[in-house]
């Protein structure tokens, strides 16, 4: 099979390189789901999208978005066809594995101040130690003000870290299994070490000093951590990888790589026949639960509101709109890694440079815990992709019985629509820095655009 690089031979590869610059900017500035939503809304507004709250009536060509508590977003371009006839939907998740602060995070031990944490999503904890980390999120004050925090991204800003044991004294540690080398309760982030001036016998002066700095620089008091959402993430911007600059290494490809490509593709299909939709959703890494996850009623409620604006307040109209929809669940897949060939089955594995990956199912244990796309739908997708000469591949996430991955696909499947996982292949998934091919990022975007335009 031809690679994407060969498809865009010579000077046409410039388009691939240029597209990845936009993606790198988004990725570097979207370290949390809130930051991703903010970035997306800024792009949408610049492109003429309006908040659905401010709209009374919808007509073909209208562009709107619905913001779910700054952590989940659904954007729509209204089609010429009736909404009840269904939508063409792209859905990606914008949460990534990270380490969250507990509600009582701050403590002093042996002259050091540390932050107690709880990791979020599936991580190999030993990958997250002894690296520069940044602190992102919000602190909500009792008076209703929300303080945005982002410390550790700029060159002159301090970083934080989870320490690791020196190799010299790691004889016992090195005998442990990977799951136990670094344990969850040992992920305590180093946050300070200068004592404040205190009275005689006063204790915890380093913590006092840190609290003084938090108050002075951010107006944050210790109790405010109770109503905060603070996430420790790998610091720094995404970088080109490889002497030929063919790949991007960065934090959070899973799944902001599919979020960005979906969103850009979505904004480019301006006068669709069927209403198009782009969903950016939270909480996939922990099971898509809660008010901002895909299992939330928010998406259905939004569609119900839009139908009501068209005078269709019936429950059945909503069910029709969902049942008649077609969706790509835009989520990353595993890229074959020659260093670890044994976990993948070569015929049914994705490779860098070979385009978007269609995953009929991502749960590998006897196909459990997954969506199972029907072949009639897959045949339709093959047709529209081949007609547009889009390069794509099909894969499973690993060999049978090796594991598997989560996805939002089955949740939309439960709503009775056709859906299949379709995303970009990634190496080092869920490590601090993941790697993807620029060719696949570009061809992923082309595939998403083709889907929105051509699927019926
Ligand atoms: Mn994912
Ligand atoms: Mn994931």
């Amino acid at each position: 099979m031809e690679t994407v690089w060969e498809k865009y031979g010579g000077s046409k590869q410039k388009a691939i390189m240029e597209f990845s610059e936009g993606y790198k900017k988004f990725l570097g500035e979207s370290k949390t789901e809130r930051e991703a939503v903010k970035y997306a809304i800024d792009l949408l507004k610049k492109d003429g999208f309006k908040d659905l709250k401010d709209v009374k009536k919808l007509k073909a060509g209208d562009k709107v978005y619905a913001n779910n508590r700054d952590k989940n977003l659904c954007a729509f371009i209204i089609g010429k066809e009736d909404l009840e006839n269904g939508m063409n939907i792209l859905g990606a998740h914008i949460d990534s594995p990270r380490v969250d602060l507990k509600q009582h995070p701050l403590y002093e031990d042996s002259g050091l101040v540390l932050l107690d944490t709880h990791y979020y999503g599936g991580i190999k904890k030993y990958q997250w130690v002894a690296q520069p980390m940044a602190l992102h999120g919000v602190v909500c004050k009792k008076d209703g003000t929300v303080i945005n925090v982002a410390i550790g991204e700029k060159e002159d800003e301090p970083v934080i870290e989870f320490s690791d044991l020196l190799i010299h004294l790691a004889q016992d540690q090195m005998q442990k299994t990977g799951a136990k080398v670094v344990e969850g309760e040992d992920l305590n982030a180093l946050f300070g070490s200068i004592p404040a001036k205190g009275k005689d016998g006063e204790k915890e002066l380093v913590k006092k000093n840190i609290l003084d700095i938090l108050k002075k620089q951010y107006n944050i008091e210790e109790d405010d951590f109770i109503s905060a959402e603070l996430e420790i993430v790998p610091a720094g911007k995404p970088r080109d990888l490889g002497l030929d600059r063919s790949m991007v290494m960065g934090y959070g490809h899973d799944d902001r790589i599919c979020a960005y490509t979906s969103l850009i593709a979505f904004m480019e299909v301006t006068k669709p026949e069927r209403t198009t939709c782009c969903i950016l959703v939270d909480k996939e890494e922990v099971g898509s639960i809660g008010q901002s996850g895909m299992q939330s009623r928010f998406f259905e409620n939004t569609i119900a509101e839009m139908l009501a604006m068209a005078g269709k307040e019936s429950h059945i109209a909503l069910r029709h709109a969902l049942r008649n929809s077609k969706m790509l669940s835009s989520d990353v897949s595993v890229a074959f890694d020659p260093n670890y060939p044994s976990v993948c089955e070569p015929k049914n594995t994705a490779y860098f440079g070979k385009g978007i990956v269609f995953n009929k199912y991502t749960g590998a244990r006897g196909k459990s815990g997954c969506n199972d796309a029907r072949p009639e739908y897959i045949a339709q997708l093959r047709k529209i992709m081949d007609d547009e000469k889009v390069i794509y591949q099909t894969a499973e996430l690993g060999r049978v019985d090796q594991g598997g991955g989560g996805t939002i696909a089955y949740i939309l499947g439960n709503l009775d629509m056709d859906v299949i996982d379709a995303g970009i292949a990634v190496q080092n998934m869920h490590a601090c820095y993941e790697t993807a091919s620029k060719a696949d990022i570009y061809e992923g975007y082309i595939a998403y655009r083709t889907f929105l335009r051509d699927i019926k």
Side-chain angles (χ1 to χ4, degrees):
M1 185 175 55
E2 174 189 44
T3 67
V4 175
W5 294 111
E6 287 155 325
K7 175 182 171 186
Y8 301 95
S11 62
K12 282 196 205 146
Q13 287 181 2
K14 224 177 113 194
I16 297 177
M17 296 301 186
E18 279 172 9
F19 189 83
S20 75
E21 292 307 307
Y23 170 56
K24 279 156 59 186
K25 184 168 184 296
F26 166 78
L27 188 64
E29 293 177 27
S30 304
K31 295 280 185 99
T32 67
E33 54 283 355
R34 282 177 193 262
E35 289 174 1
V37 163
K38 186 178 176 307
Y39 199 105
I41 289 180
D42 285 349
L43 284 182
L44 290 167
K45 276 186 174 165
K46 262 186 222 147
D47 202 42
F49 281 76
K50 294 202 171 75
D51 193 328
L52 189 61
K53 282 197 308 235
D54 306 326
V55 174
K56 297 252 166 342
K57 251 202 145 38
L58 292 169
K59 58 176 191 312
D62 280 357
K63 305 195 284 189
V64 291
Y65 66 87
N67 173 0
N68 180 8
R69 301 168 171 92
D70 299 330
K71 293 167 66 129
N72 162 214
L73 188 69
C74 303
F76 302 87
I77 302 178
I78 307 303
K80 294 172 196 135
E81 261 187 56
D82 202 319
L83 183 55
E84 203 177 333
N85 294 345
M87 297 161 280
N88 293 350
I89 305 170
L90 296 171
H93 68 91
I94 46 174
D95 62 317
S96 296
R98 59 175 193 251
V99 183
D100 289 337
L101 295 201
K102 289 183 179 175
Q103 279 182 295
H104 290 290
L106 207 61
Y107 68 99
E108 180 170 339
D109 188 344
S110 321
L112 302 174
V113 163
L114 296 115
L115 295 165
D116 203 342
T117 67
H118 193 143
Y119 65 91
Y120 171 99
I123 59 169
K124 290 159 119 178
K125 294 174 281 276
Y126 65 78
Q127 292 178 329
W128 287 64
V129 294
Q131 307 226 39
M133 306 297 269
L135 185 67
H136 288 243
V138 293
V139 178
C140 301
K141 308 276 287 182
K142 280 197 288 188
D143 66 5
T145 52
V146 176
I147 300 161
N148 284 295
V149 176
I151 309 167
E153 296 296 348
K154 298 192 186 107
E155 289 277 303
D156 60 347
E157 282 175 354
V159 292
I160 55 182
E161 67 137 8
F162 303 110
S163 65
D164 194 7
L165 196 53
L166 61 169
I167 183 68
H168 315 67
L169 299 179
Q171 281 204 34
D172 287 349
Q173 186 195 33
M174 296 300 277
Q175 301 308 314
K176 293 180 182 174
T177 61
K180 301 266 177 190
V181 166
V182 173
E183 304 224 32
E185 275 298 350
D186 297 334
L187 289 177
N188 301 311
L190 191 50
F191 203 49
S193 64
I194 302 177
K197 252 195 208 131
K199 299 174 205 105
D200 261 1
E202 195 178 341
K203 290 202 176 105
E204 301 207 319
L205 289 171
V206 184
K207 182 174 162 185
K208 182 170 189 255
N209 188 48
I210 286 288
L211 285 170
D212 287 346
I213 296 172
L214 281 171
K215 176 78 187 154
K216 214 183 293 164
Q217 292 187 5
Y218 298 94
N219 192 29
I220 296 169
E221 305 193 49
E222 190 170 12
D223 283 347
D224 294 333
F225 280 111
I226 292 172
S227 49
E229 183 180 270
L230 291 166
E231 308 177 7
I232 297 175
V233 296
K237 299 263 178 249
R239 309 275 297 262
D240 285 347
L241 190 139
L243 191 62
D244 56 6
R245 296 180 176 268
S246 57
M247 295 162 276
V248 179
M249 186 176 210
Y251 163 66
H253 281 324
D254 177 9
D255 187 34
R256 294 173 192 135
I257 200 167
C258 297
Y260 180 78
T261 44
S262 294
L263 184 68
I264 299 298
F266 162 78
M267 292 198 306
E268 284 185 11
V269 182
T270 46
K271 286 191 177 127
E273 287 297 318
R274 279 153 65 85
T275 295
T276 56
C277 169
C278 179
I279 304 172
L280 303 181
V281 72
D282 183 26
K283 292 287 180 287
E284 191 278 339
E285 297 294 356
V286 290
S288 297
I289 35 79
Q291 67 182 179
S292 54
M294 197 65 243
Q295 298 194 50
S296 158
R297 288 268 184 249
F298 177 76
F299 174 66
E300 283 176 80
N301 290 349
T302 303
I303 307 302
E305 300 273 1
M306 288 167 61
L307 284 164
M309 283 182 191
K312 295 191 173 194
E313 295 190 25
S314 88
H315 187 66
I316 202 75
L318 172 62
R319 295 299 130 195
H320 287 164
L322 295 169
R323 185 184 70 195
N324 294 330
S325 290
K326 298 268 166 73
M327 185 195 187
L328 294 183
S329 162
S330 318
D331 203 351
V332 295
S333 190
V334 58
F336 180 80
D337 181 346
N339 288 317
Y340 302 96
S342 66
V343 297
C344 293
E345 188 266 290
K347 300 187 300 309
N348 290 286
T349 290
Y351 295 85
F352 273 169
K354 297 201 170 176
I356 194 162
V357 190
F358 288 96
N359 281 77
K360 187 163 144 62
Y361 17 72
T362 56
R365 291 188 188 90
K367 306 184 200 171
S368 71
C370 68
N371 182 58
D372 185 356
R374 68 189 174 111
E376 291 88 341
Y377 180 47
I378 301 175
Q380 240 191 322
L381 292 166
R382 283 175 60 204
K383 168 90 172 103
I384 62 167
M385 294 297 155
D386 287 343
D387 284 354
E388 284 296 311
K389 299 191 167 55
V390 177
I391 295 192
Y392 62 91
Q393 46 189 332
T394 62
E396 293 198 9
L397 205 145
R399 273 181 185 276
V400 176
D401 285 340
Q402 278 294 327
T407 166
I408 61 168
Y410 74 94
I411 302 161
L412 287 302
N414 289 347
L415 294 178
D416 201 15
M417 67 180 73
D418 271 317
V419 53
I420 185 170
D421 273 291
I424 292 157
V426 168
Q427 278 189 359
N428 326 333
M429 204 187 293
H430 288 203
C432 286
Y433 301 97
E434 304 171 318
T435 301
S437 161
K438 290 183 182 176
D440 298 333
I441 296 169
Y442 186 74
E443 199 69 353
Y445 140 74
I446 297 291
Y448 291 143
R449 202 176 62 186
T450 301
F451 169 82
L452 289 177
R453 271 186 192 156
D454 296 345
I455 197 81
K456 286 192 178 74

